[in-house]
Amino acid sequence: MKHIRNLTLATAICSVLLSCQEKKAESTIGADAAVEARVEQILSQMTLAEKIGQMNQVSAGGDVAIYADALRKGQIGSILNEVDPVKINEYQRICMEESRLGIPLLVARDVIHGYHTVFPIPLGLAATFDPALVEEGARVAALEATAQGIRWTFSPMLDIARDPRWGRIAEGSGEDTFLDARMAEAMVHGYQGREADTTSMAACIKHFVGYGAAEGGRDYNSTFLTERQLRNVYLPPFEAAVKAGAMTLMTSFNDNDGVPSTGNTFVVKDVLRGEWGFDGLVVTDWNSMGEMIAHGFGVDRKDVAEKALEAGVDMDMMTYGFLSHLEELVRSGAVKESAINQAVRNILRVKVLLGLFEHPYVDVTAGDAVQYAPEHLAAAQKSAEESAILLKNDGVLPLNPASVRNILVTGPMADAPHDQLGTWAFDGQKNHTVTPLAALQARFPGKVTYVPGLTYSREKRERFDDVMAAARRADVVLVFLGEEAILSGEAHSLADLNLKGSQSELLAAVKSAGKPVVATVMAGRPLTIERDLPNCGALLYAFHPGTMGGPALANILFGDVNPSGKTPITFLRTVGQAPLYYSHNMTGRPYNNETLLDEIPAEAGQTSLGNTSYYLDYGAYPLFPFGYGLSYTSFSYSGVSLDREVYGKDDVITVSFSLANTGQYEGEEVVQVYVRDLVGSITRPVKELKHFERVALRPGERRSLQVQIPVCSLAFVGLDGIKKVEPGEFQLWVAGDSASGDPLSFKVQ
Ligand code: GLC
């Protein structure tokens, strides 16, 4: 696994450099002449009906016999939602031995953040700012899933999300394009492996495109992203993933600017296929083809099937639109068979690359040994440790294991083995989950008192006498709060982001007992926790940390691990501030700490308040900015300098600085480099992340560091629609979060 870490870091730097050279690969998914010859040889034998059958994907989690006849007729190219290796082998056997051409199935599953060993939700993985670790986790997921016959996952999700009301914010890498792109590369490499073999699981980059910009944060809602916004913010992570060799892509449910993605010729055929040369497989989302009728974009299944094929879609998930109407559309001349041939090539290419023709079956006896292997659990625990973000600490943390005699554990998330896994963890078995309560009881036998206080997050209670009594007897109170897995994920958007039920009241009650209080929040999104901060000495934000969340959090709380997570998403003061993100435009009236309502005396009358872009009651600053996270130690940046003052467009900026660990604990800092383009042909963000890396330092250690930022990585699509670096004045920050540091100036000529 170590090998991957170094390789990935080098790859990350190279990928930024390579991304500046807009060159189109022969094949984006690694096909070569032999693969293409094989594909053509198979295609040449297929009837039109058999070709169309390959373009049909069904959910097959029931009895194999249900689909046996369709398989024999070659009417199914892929199944999803079957996880029993014995059944998967039987599906494949019917295809290989009882159909005319013996074309194996692509067996798919939503392996989103781990298969059996569940890792933190992707938003938590992004908080690690550790692509190498994320790649290791994706590799673990592939090892476990492929051992049971699953060779295609519908992950990574690359949807940039800037509205925490959207429940699927849990499944992506947050608000930032650069971080999202690095995480995308890492997960594609992890799932597919650096070399294709029987442990390769085809990645599926989704949801193409703009799905996370749903108006109002309501899932499935329309988006209204301009082409420039698409090209500067939402498309780059997909392009990075295509360059990393992603084998497949999924179209999204949303209509953007009036066009549903599954019928959007511009993004799929013109950009993905035409500009990027993507020759992988494009699959719709679940019935997203059929949903174009509800959108009012098509009159019936035949119409939307034609529109999807025209847009460049290869495979239909659960509409049966292709299976039902493509043959008729070809016969009528509405659709050319050449378009179908191209779709089938893209499907067969993935099957050939995965080696499915040679290895369609899985060894059902070997699969179990791989599941929950110790090294897998260790990787999941390390991911959970690095994903936790320390948002507040008045010094109560780290706790001293030697001095505690009675630890009170309370809160609805202290012992929630299913919910700790988070959303989209279908195959995580809760009996393998180690909860914080279990981990603490194992570590401090006889010293842990457990009084839940609330049995679930939405429970309402007037009094907490039982918890208060226990708190008064305790040395320290550990409160585990948050939301169940069901409160985030698909179709689970929220209009109120405060802690649900009586959780805040529980925390306040515990605080009034007068003992040290540490709150840990496990959630699928950044909740609005401002009102809870005064009621705890420290607050650790763990998102949903997965199978090994308990030991990971115990290690952090008791100082075995120094927290290093950083916010991959802005934390709002109140939901009314949404959307609020660090890389916003300046506007003509930038907020500058103007007076807020509660600072104005009641008799002020009609006073002229600030005339800038903010909220009278909550201002325009977040509770915690992007890239923020505390440590048990402290880091100081000094001597930040640039190697030149003026750069050409083909130059590389060398940033030099010193980083010192000025505290008492060894720790890792996520160094971040931001750049601002002061003036452009269009208005530009106040800053954008252009580099990050984790730096480990011992107490007192100081290190001189250098970071390379290619000038070409400052390119954007401007008024003329051309991606390029525009000359002018720039600013650059090196800091530990998006709101800190002093800018250096430089020019590009
Ligand atoms: C769902 C999701 C998609 C998932 C697919 C298959 O509706 O939108 O992310 O991969 O269906 O489960």
Side-chain angles (χ1 to χ4, degrees), residues 50 54 60 62-77 79 82 85-105 107 351 360-361:
E50 287 164 337
Q54 285 298 307
D63 189 327
V64 176
I66 295 172
Y67 291 106
D69 187 45
L71 294 169
R72 291 186 190 99
K73 293 175 181 171
Q75 292 178 334
I76 299 175
I79 63 170
E82 180 51 70
V86 173
K87 288 186 175 182
I88 288 174
N89 278 348
E90 178 56 11
Y91 278 115
Q92 294 289 27
R93 188 198 62 75
I94 295 172
C95 289
M96 301 304 288
E97 298 177 9
E98 298 182 16
S99 75
R100 191 177 76 87
L101 292 175
I103 298 174
L105 285 170
V107 179
K351 295 186 175 184
Y361 305 113

Side-chain angles (χ1 to χ4, degrees), residues 12 35 212 293 313 343 425 445 459 519 631 718:
V35 170
I293 300 166
V313 166
E459 185 182 351
S631 170

Side-chain angles (χ1 to χ4, degrees), residues 469-490:
R472 281 191 280 273
R473 295 192 298 273
D475 304 316
V476 64
V477 185
L478 305 182
V479 193
F480 295 89
L481 306 165
E483 54 180 12
E484 286 77 15
I486 193 70
L487 291 177
S488 62
E490 182 170 354

Side-chain angles (χ1 to χ4, degrees), residues 57-62 78-84 88 105-116 118 141-142 144-146 148-156 191 201-206 248 250 283 286 317 424-429:
Q57 180 184 57
V58 301
S59 182
S78 170
I79 63 170
L80 69 146
N81 291 334
E82 180 51 70
V83 293
D84 178 343
I88 288 174
L105 285 170
L106 256 178
V107 179
R109 180 68 166 173
D110 289 283
V111 182
I112 305 301
H113 50 106
Y115 182 56
H116 282 137
V118 177
E144 292 191 353
T146 57
Q148 298 211 326
I150 294 161
R151 300 298 307 275
W152 183 16
T153 179
F154 299 128
S155 176
Y191 288 136
M201 181 164 68
C204 184
I205 53 180
K206 71 185 187 181
T248 77
M250 181 186 290
V283 65
W286 187 289
M317 182 195 294
W424 287 103
F426 294 143
D427 303 299
Q429 294 151 354

Side-chain angles (χ1 to χ4, degrees), residues 166-383:
W166 190 50
R168 300 197 78 167
I169 200 167
E171 298 172 59
S173 295
E175 71 186 55
D176 182 68
T177 299
F178 185 84
L179 175 61
D180 191 16
R182 303 294 79 76
M183 289 294 149
E185 292 160 347
M187 294 180 96
V188 167
H189 289 144
Y191 288 136
Q192 298 182 174
R194 295 289 176 157
E195 302 293 333
D197 62 24
T198 55
T199 70
S200 299
M201 181 164 68
C204 184
I205 53 180
K206 71 185 187 181
H207 305 79
F208 196 66
V209 64
Y211 181 38
E215 192 169 60
R218 283 194 314 281
D219 203 2
Y220 313 118
N221 202 6
S222 300
T223 62
F224 300 93
L225 301 169
T226 65
E227 180 178 341
R228 269 201 292 268
Q229 189 72 341
L230 282 175
R231 289 187 179 279
N232 288 328
V233 177
Y234 292 85
L235 285 169
F238 284 94
E239 186 175 12
V242 166
K243 287 182 174 172
M247 288 186 178
T248 77
L249 172 141
M250 181 186 290
T251 58
S252 59
F253 288 124
N254 59 298
D255 57 323
N256 184 59
D257 196 14
V259 183
S261 301
T262 304
N264 192 325
T265 304
F266 169 64
V267 291
V268 181
K269 187 166 276 184
D270 299 350
V271 175
L272 176 72
R273 304 275 196 202
E275 293 178 21
W276 301 347
F278 181 67
D279 59 352
L281 185 167
V282 173
V283 65
T284 72
D285 200 339
W286 187 289
N287 189 37
S288 64
M289 179 194 292
E291 288 183 5
M292 291 198 286
I293 300 166
H295 274 291
F297 190 72
V299 293
D300 57 24
R301 249 185 352 175
K302 185 168 88 169
D303 185 20
V304 295
E306 182 179 355
K307 285 183 163 78
L309 184 70
E310 171 52 35
V313 166
D314 302 317
M315 187 177 278
D316 158 19
M317 182 195 294
M318 291 304 285
T319 297
Y320 297 93
F322 284 165
L323 192 68
S324 308
H325 299 288
L326 275 189
E327 192 152 356
E328 171 194 351
L329 285 163
V330 171
R331 301 277 180 244
S332 71
V335 162
K336 292 186 172 50
E337 185 163 357
S338 60
I340 291 175
N341 290 344
Q342 193 50 43
V344 176
R345 283 191 186 95
N346 295 335
I347 295 167
L348 293 175
R349 189 175 293 121
V350 173
K351 295 186 175 184
V352 170
L353 283 169
L354 288 177
L356 284 173
F357 286 87
E358 291 73 32
H359 307 288
Y361 305 113
V362 67
D363 176 354
V364 295
T365 59
D368 290 348
V370 174
Q371 312 305 319
Y372 297 111
E375 64 271 21
H376 295 177
L377 296 174
Q381 180 170 323
K382 181 164 178 54
S383 298

